[in-house]
């Protein structure tokens, strides 16, 4: 099958074009660096099927980050039949810089002028034919978003792929063209493919090229000794970059006729940026937006109207609608959707239980279906609307171009903690799922910054942890009568962020010391999010969540139900004897470990359920609430109800049965939020970090979650312990500051140095 | 034991075995372990086994 590669600058619309050509639903976002690995699809509308490969965005073929290496290696080593170079037509000159480099490779090439509709809308005129004449490769106007010109692009690319193309350089006339020629001849003598491209890179003293061709690099170094350029001295890299831009300005820029505008007239994006990226208001505005998202998703007192509206302003009391809209009719959209699904699943559960009872099915079978299967799955499934709503809000912010701005405004603060603003993008992705977030750290050039970021990504609560936060916060509200439980959920998200910042600060001051790399990010223009794009994101998320609920979660809850209803002697136990089960035995064995966290040996006879829930969460975080859903119905059979209990009700029942306190419940949330993430995230971390660093990361997750959760429990239970923790943290921060100022050296705490010291002492 | 109870036990065992087998098969084939599909996923290679990567 023929293979066409899509190459271009970050955020030029490659993935949108890839989706348009192949019918895929790959993730697209309005910020540079969404794609970090190549992906393939098939275009079927040509004379023969063509494999389309979407490459990560690159600014040049001199790569710095891992995903940029992927793009360069693919074009050079995999020898695609044609390279489709996508150019953001609204930013022609900068995008053509990469084109001048691809031109040097012996590969058929077509230029796709993307976002041509934006150019037309702005009143500018871009002459594709003129550009084609100057550059010497086909140029096609397209709009990947609107599907305009895609068939023509593929037809031209198909035609181009039939004729081999020799690379040519735009560096003719420069002072080093002869050196490039000599290097090319030397490389051709060594039978190197794409000799011209490699020769230019060699003259630039590109790190990869120097390693590959040390003999020819020596030739360049020798030439350097006798060479002096008037402007750039012996900086060949600068001479070449300058020559490329001169070529673009002279030959390509005339193809673009810009509309006459007032020189200082700000664009729409500039006007919005004046407010949203303001030096002082930028961060408070971001926090306010974040709060609004969580409020719309979790609040049972929408816009805090509860205090303003007179009691009984709407007559919902006693009606079915009260359960959906709340007694004051002011539930947020997220809570309304949650209640609706909860109502549907509860009714379905009750109907199935009723039908089974009427059919004379035995008690254990009803228990297996209602508690084991439906209880667990429904407990998780009922949170789907809130997960989707939160995900929708984040997608809107991402697609609009705002998230890229947040990375920019946070750079100043992140820098103080040892990270660049670029690290914000994978972190914010962590709110959706840790797996892609960890992979996205490949866009970070500094390895130590990357490791530190991967380690703290699970602290940004993913969608799977949302049921834990919401159900336990709801359970606290229901049992202890606390208002505004959405603030607990929001607070827990903030705790995750604060712990991540503190952890990074400590890591970057001790084991992960290093300079913070400069943060350069192209800010995309603001645009209204595409409805289709948003719906595709949501559909993808919903599909995978439901799939997970009916596979991994269902299987886990069945296993939990069985081992909670059989004794070590493999005898069936009714609900009342659940404390004698295998699961209870294992849970009780581990219970003492969690005593400092408040959900260990000190809570009632069913306290082991909390330990078991935390352990099952290591498979998938949804399992924590699924475990409550499965076991609550059995445990509370003698306390509250004899029906399947879901989500918040299940947690409330467990709180009632164990008499666990609020501090321990908060510690339970914190522990689950910060500890080892799910299997998938653990596997990804292992792949990204390597075995040695991965082992340290596991220890880091366990220690951090244990320490922070016990801190919450102790402060909640004995308020005066707050002074001890404040003193300890003050000491840590002082040490970090002194270390930064060079007054002390915290390197002695580095495990490597400690081990080396022990070895020396042993000798 | 009623027929429905036998069906329930068989179905439960089947679900658990099927999920475990599918996870093992997916891992062996180098497919995703996160529950999401690999088609069109830019992060698919991160989940793939070393064996597949070498191939």
């Amino acid at each position: 099958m023929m293979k066409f590669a899509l190459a271009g600058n970050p955020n030029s619309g490659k993935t949108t074009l890839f989706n348009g050509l192949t019918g895929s639903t790959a993730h697209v976002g309005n910020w540079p660096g969404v794609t970090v690995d190549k992906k393939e699809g098939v275009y079927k509308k040509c004379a023969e099927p063509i494999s389309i490969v979407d490459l990560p965005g690159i600014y040049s073929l001199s790569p710095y980050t891992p995903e940029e290496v992927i793009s360069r290696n693919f074009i050079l080593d995999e020898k695609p039949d044609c390279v489709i170079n996508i150019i953001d037509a609204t930013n022609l000159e900068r995008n053509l810089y990469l084109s001048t480099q691809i031109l040097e490779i012996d590969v058929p090439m077509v230029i796709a002028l993307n976002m041509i509709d934006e150019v037309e809308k702005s009143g500018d005129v871009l002459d594709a034919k003129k550009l084609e004449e100057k550059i010497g490769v086909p140029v096609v106007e397209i709009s990947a978003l609107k599907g305009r010109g895609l068939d023509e692009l593929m037809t031209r690319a198909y035609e181009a792929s039939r004729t081999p193309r020799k690379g040519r350089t735009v560096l003719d006339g420069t002072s080093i063209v002869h050196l490039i020629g000599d290097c090319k001849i030397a490389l051709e003598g060594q039978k190197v493919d794409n000799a011209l491209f490699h020769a230019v890179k060699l003259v630039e003293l590109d790190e990869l090229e120097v390693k590959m061709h040390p003999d020819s690099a020596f030739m360049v170094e020798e030439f350097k000794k006798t060479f002096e350029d008037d402007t750039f001295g012996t900086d060949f890299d600068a001479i070449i970059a300058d020559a490329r831009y001169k070529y673009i300005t002279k030959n390509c820029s005339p193809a673009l006729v810009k509309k006459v505008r007032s020189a200082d007239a700000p664009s729409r994006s500039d006007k919005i940026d004046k407010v949203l990226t303001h030096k002082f208001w930028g961060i408070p505005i971001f926090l306010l937006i974040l709060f609004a998202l969580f409020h719309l998703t979790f609040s049972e007192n929408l816009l805090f109207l509860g205090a303003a509206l007179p009691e009984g302003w709407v007559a919902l009391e006693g009606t079915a609608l009260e359960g959906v809209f709340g007694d004051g009719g002011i539930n947020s959209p997220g809570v309304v959707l949650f209640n609706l699904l909860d109502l549907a699943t509860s009714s379905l559960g009750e109907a199935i239980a009723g039908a089974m009872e009427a059919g004379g099915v035995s008690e254990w079978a009803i228990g297996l279906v209602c508690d084991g299967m439906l209880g667990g799955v429904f407990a998780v499934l009922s949170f789907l609307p809130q997960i989707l709503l939160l995900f929708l809000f984040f997608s809107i912010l991402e697609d609009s171009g705002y998230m890229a701005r947040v990375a920019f405004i946070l750079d100043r603060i992140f820098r103080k903690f040892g990270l660049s603003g670029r690290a914000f993008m994978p972190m914010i992705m962590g709110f959706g799922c840790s797996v892609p977030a960890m992979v996205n750290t490949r866009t970070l050039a500094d390895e130590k910054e990357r490791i530190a970021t991967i380690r703290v990504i699970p602290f940004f609560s993913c969608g799977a942890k949302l049921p834990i936060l919401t159900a336990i916060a709801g359970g606290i509200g229901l049992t202890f009568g606390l208002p505004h439980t959405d603030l607990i959920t929001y607070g827990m998200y903030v705790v995750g962020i604060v712990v991540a910042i503190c952890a990074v600060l400590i890591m970057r001051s001790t084991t992960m010391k290093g300079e913070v790399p400069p943060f350069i990010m192209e800010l995309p223009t603001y645009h209204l999010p595409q409805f289709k794009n948003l719906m595709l994101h949501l559909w993808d998320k919903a599909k995978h969540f439901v799939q997970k609920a009916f596979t991994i979660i269902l299987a886990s809850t069945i296993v939990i139900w069985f081992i909670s209803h059989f004794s070590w002697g493999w005898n069936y136990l009714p609900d009342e004897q659940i404390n004698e089960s295998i699961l209870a035995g294992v849970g009780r064995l581990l219970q003492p470990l969690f005593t400092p966290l408040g959900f260990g040996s000190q809570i009632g006879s069913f306290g082991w359920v909390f330990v078991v829930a935390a352990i099952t969460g290591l498979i998938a975080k949804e399992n924590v609430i699924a475990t409550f859903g499965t076991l609550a119905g059995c445990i509370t059979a003698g306390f509250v109800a004899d029906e399947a209990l879901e989500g918040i009700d299940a947690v409330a029942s467990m709180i009632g049965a164990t008499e666990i306190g609020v501090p321990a419940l908060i510690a339970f949330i914190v522990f689950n939020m910060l500890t080892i993430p799910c299997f998938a995230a653990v596997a990804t971390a292992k792949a990204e970090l390597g075995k040695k660093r991965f082992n340290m990361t596991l220890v880091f997750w366990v220690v951090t979650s244990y320490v922070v959760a016990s801190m919450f429990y102790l402060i909640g239970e004995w308020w005066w312990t707050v002074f001890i923790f404040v003193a300890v943290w003050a000491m840590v921060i002082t040490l970090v500051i002194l270390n930064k100022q060079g007054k002390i050296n915290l390197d002695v705490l580095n495990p490597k140095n400690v081990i080396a010291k022990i070895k020396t002492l042993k000798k | 034991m009623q027929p429905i109870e036998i069906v329930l036990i068989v179905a439960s065992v089947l679900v658990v075995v099927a999920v475990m087998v599918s996870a093992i098969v997916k891992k062996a084939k180098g497919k995703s372990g996160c529950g999401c599909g690999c088609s069109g996923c830019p992060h698919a290679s991160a989940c793939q086994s070393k064996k597949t990567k070498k191939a």
Side-chain angles (χ1 to χ4, degrees):
Chain A
M1 197 191 292
M2 293 182 90
K3 199 172 265 187
F4 289 3
L6 304 182
N9 283 191
N11 214 34
S12 58
K14 291 176 296 303
T15 307
T16 310
L17 176 61
F18 174 80
N19 286 347
L21 294 175
T22 62
S24 302
T25 54
H27 185 90
V28 284
N30 190 15
W31 50 279
V34 180
T35 309
V36 290
D37 204 349
K38 61 177 189 278
K39 51 183 179 287
E40 290 189 46
V42 179
Y43 179 76
K44 295 172 184 164
K45 287 190 196 166
C46 255
E48 56 184 300
I50 295 165
S51 172
I52 307 285
V53 182
D54 182 20
L55 298 172
I58 44 173
Y59 288 109
S60 82
L61 288 171
S62 298
Y64 292 101
T65 58
E67 94 277 8
E68 287 172 349
V69 178
I70 291 169
S71 294
R72 169 176 159 144
N73 289 352
F74 185 85
I75 297 172
L76 290 173
D77 303 337
E78 305 273 329
K79 298 188 174 57
D81 296 287
C82 181
V83 172
I84 299 177
N85 175 210
I86 298 146
I87 281 179
D88 173 359
T90 61
N91 210 335
L92 192 63
E93 287 189 15
R94 210 226 30 238
N95 277 252
L96 280 170
Y97 184 80
L98 175 68
S99 314
T100 62
Q101 293 187 317
I102 302 175
L103 274 175
E104 287 159 0
I105 302 172
D106 303 337
V107 64
M109 175 186 175
V110 173
I111 289 178
L113 288 175
N114 193 20
M115 304 184 209
I116 197 73
D117 50 331
E118 293 282 329
V119 175
E120 288 165 357
K121 214 159 79 180
S122 68
D124 297 344
V125 179
L126 184 50
D127 190 341
K129 276 192 181 162
K130 204 170 181 177
L131 202 60
E132 187 171 321
E133 281 165 22
K134 294 285 181 189
I135 298 180
V137 294
V139 177
V140 184
E141 294 178 353
I142 66 159
S143 168
L145 205 62
K146 294 183 177 165
R148 178 178 146 188
L150 304 195
D151 290 339
E152 192 198 340
L153 171 70
M154 288 309 288
T155 309
R156 303 274 322 255
Y158 185 69
E159 283 166 8
S161 69
R162 311 303 259 175
T163 327
R165 190 185 70 84
K166 285 302 278 180
R168 70 172 188 87
T169 183
V170 299
L171 303 171
D172 296 329
T174 58
S175 49
I176 50 172
V177 71
H178 297 299
L179 176 63
I180 293 171
D182 290 346
C183 287
K184 187 181 167 227
I185 292 165
L187 293 173
E188 279 172 345
Q190 294 169 34
K191 302 218 180 313
V192 173
D193 284 342
N194 295 309
L196 174 64
F197 171 80
H198 289 292
V200 176
K201 288 286 145 203
L202 207 55
V203 172
E204 283 178 357
L205 289 173
D206 178 284
E207 222 173 274
L208 291 172
E209 293 297 333
V210 173
K211 268 188 202 164
M212 278 197 294
H213 313 290
D215 297 344
S216 306
F218 177 72
M219 190 164 79
V220 178
E221 291 287 4
E222 284 300 305
F223 182 80
K224 233 179 184 182
K225 287 176 188 168
T226 56
F227 180 85
E228 187 69 42
D229 181 84
D230 294 343
T231 319
F232 300 104
T234 54
D235 190 348
F236 292 166
D237 208 354
I239 295 170
I240 290 173
D242 182 59
R244 289 191 197 283
Y245 275 115
K246 274 185 181 153
Y247 171 84
I248 293 165
T249 314
K250 188 181 165 195
N251 296 291
C252 308
S253 299
L256 178 68
V257 181
K258 289 200 170 189
K259 186 184 164 188
V260 182
R261 297 183 186 91
S262 161
D264 51 356
S267 67
R268 191 184 55 178
S269 280
D270 292 339
K271 283 177 197 164
I272 301 172
D273 274 341
K274 263 196 170 174
V275 180
L276 293 184
T277 61
H278 189 272
K279 196 176 174 184
F280 301 115
W281 302 117
I283 292 170
I285 289 173
F286 170 60
L287 290 176
L288 203 68
I289 291 174
L290 217 52
F291 177 75
L293 303 191
F294 285 101
H295 183 75
L296 286 171
T297 312
F298 302 115
S299 179
E300 291 179 359
N301 185 4
L302 188 62
L303 305 174
F304 304 102
L305 288 170
L309 294 169
E311 207 170 309
W313 71 279
V314 58
L316 292 179
E317 207 175 325
T319 67
L321 290 176
E322 186 189 359
V324 176
F325 294 99
D327 52 1
I330 46 174
N331 280 346
S332 67
V335 177
V336 169
L337 292 170
F338 167 82
N339 287 340
L340 277 172
L341 193 62
D342 197 40
L343 196 69
T345 51
S346 307
S347 308
L348 185 64
E350 278 169 30
I352 291 171
M356 287 180 87
E357 267 174 12
V361 179
S362 60
E363 194 190 322
W364 72 263
I366 298 174
L368 172 63
V369 173
C370 293
D371 297 329
M373 295 177 176
L374 302 182
V377 173
F378 285 172
V380 172
L381 217 52
S382 53
F383 290 97
L384 181 64
Q386 283 176 312
I387 291 173
L388 290 186
L389 199 61
L390 199 60
F391 194 71
L392 172 72
F393 291 143
F394 276 116
S395 294
I396 290 172
L397 291 185
E398 190 191 317
D399 275 14
S400 67
Y402 178 63
M403 282 304 190
R405 265 80 184 176
V406 178
F408 166 70
I409 55 175
L410 284 181
D411 182 59
R412 250 182 319 145
I413 294 182
F414 270 37
R415 212 152 269 283
K416 289 183 179 136
F417 301 116
L419 295 179
S420 68
R422 187 69 190 78
F424 170 76
M425 296 315 292
M427 283 177 179
I428 205 83
M429 281 177 89
F431 282 129
C433 177
S434 295
V435 175
M438 284 178 182
V439 182
N440 194 268
T441 58
R442 290 180 192 176
T443 54
L444 301 175
D446 183 69
E447 187 61 10
K448 284 181 178 172
E449 184 188 24
R450 197 170 98 84
I451 295 165
T453 310
I454 288 177
R455 283 182 178 162
V456 300
I457 277 173
F459 299 169
F460 292 79
S461 272
C462 67
K465 288 177 189 167
L466 189 139
I468 308 176
L469 272 62
T470 317
I472 296 188
I476 291 173
L478 211 61
T479 316
F480 301 98
L482 294 179
H484 307 305
T485 49
D486 58 311
L487 290 182
I488 298 178
T489 311
Y490 183 61
M492 287 296 112
Y493 274 93
V494 175
V495 166
I497 296 169
V498 171
V499 173
I501 289 170
C502 293
V504 165
L505 183 67
I506 294 170
M507 272 190 278
R508 294 291 273 169
S509 304
T510 53
T511 54
M512 294 286 147
K513 249 183 176 176
E515 284 293 309
V516 184
F519 175 50
I520 303 163
M521 189 185 201
E522 181 192 350
L523 293 182
T525 47
Y526 286 104
H527 65 67
L528 280 175
Q530 294 292 310
F531 180 75
K532 188 184 160 194
N533 203 5
L534 291 177
M535 290 305 112
L536 280 174
H537 282 194
L538 284 193
W539 167 244
D540 225 31
K541 190 88 182 161
K543 193 175 76 181
H544 295 140
F545 191 82
V546 173
Q547 265 176 6
K548 211 170 168 185
F550 283 99
T551 51
I552 299 169
I553 310 298
L554 178 62
S556 303
T557 51
I558 289 172
V559 171
I560 289 165
W561 188 89
F562 269 102
I563 57 174
S564 64
H565 283 78
F566 281 89
S567 67
W568 290 102
W570 208 239
N571 296 314
Y572 172 71
L573 301 168
D575 287 349
E576 296 76 35
Q577 292 172 9
I578 201 169
N579 257 339
E580 292 158 32
S581 66
I582 300 169
L583 193 67
V586 174
R588 267 198 295 268
L589 193 73
L590 297 169
Q591 243 180 316
L593 288 175
F594 296 90
T595 304
L597 281 67
F599 52 95
S601 307
Q602 66 269 63
I603 50 173
S605 55
F606 295 111
W608 54 268
V609 175
F610 284 90
V611 176
V612 169
I615 304 292
T616 56
L618 298 180
I619 300 169
K621 287 294 164 192
E622 296 93 332
N623 265 345
V624 174
I625 295 306
T627 305
F628 285 129
T630 304
L631 297 177
C634 318
I635 287 170
T636 57
F639 291 85
V640 186
D642 57 355
E643 62 192 50
L645 292 167
E646 292 149 24
I648 294 171
D649 290 335
V651 174
S653 305
M654 284 306 307
I655 295 171
T658 56
E659 293 178 359
I660 188 172
V662 176
L665 286 164
I666 298 288
F668 181 76
I669 303 179
V670 172
F671 179 77
N672 281 289
M673 207 170 65
L674 306 180
T675 197
I676 300 171
C678 65
F679 268 3
V682 167
T684 310
K686 194 176 175 186
E688 295 293 316
L689 293 169
K691 199 180 171 188
K692 204 174 165 189
R693 280 176 179 150
F694 169 71
N695 290 340
M696 285 300 294
T697 305
L698 281 182
V699 175
F700 167 77
W701 284 331
V702 173
V703 171
T704 309
S705 56
Y706 201 87
V707 169
V708 179
S710 58
M711 199 172 87
F712 268 85
Y713 172 64
L714 291 172
I715 293 173
E717 203 65 40
W718 299 282
W719 66 269
W720 48 267
T721 54
V722 73
F723 297 116
I724 299 172
F725 288 111
V726 167
V728 170
W729 274 108
M731 198 173 75
V732 170
I733 291 167
T734 312
L735 286 174
V736 168
I737 292 169
L738 289 174
N739 180 58
K740 273 198 167 180
Q741 290 172 350
K743 289 178 182 166
I744 56 165
N745 189 3
L746 287 183
D747 278 351
V748 287
L749 298 175
N750 190 327
K752 275 184 197 166
N753 296 341
V754 173
I755 293 165
K757 187 98 180 165
I758 292 168
K759 278 181 184 171
T760 322
L761 286 173
K762 271 186 182 174
K763 277 179 189 172
Chain B
M1 198 176 261
Q2 288 187 28
I4 190 165
E5 292 167 8
I6 297 168
V7 170
L8 264 177
I9 292 175
V10 174
S12 304
V13 173
L14 275 179
V15 167
V16 176
V17 172
V19 168
M20 285 168 72
V21 170
S22 103
I24 294 165
V25 170
K26 272 185 179 177
K27 176 101 181 150
K29 281 186 179 173
K31 285 186 180 173
S32 162
C34 67
C36 313
C38 285
S39 60
C41 174
H43 315 300
S45 69
C47 308
Q48 287 172 2
S49 63
K50 281 178 186 167
K51 200 176 162 186
T52 317
K53 271 184 184 173
K54 276 177 191 168

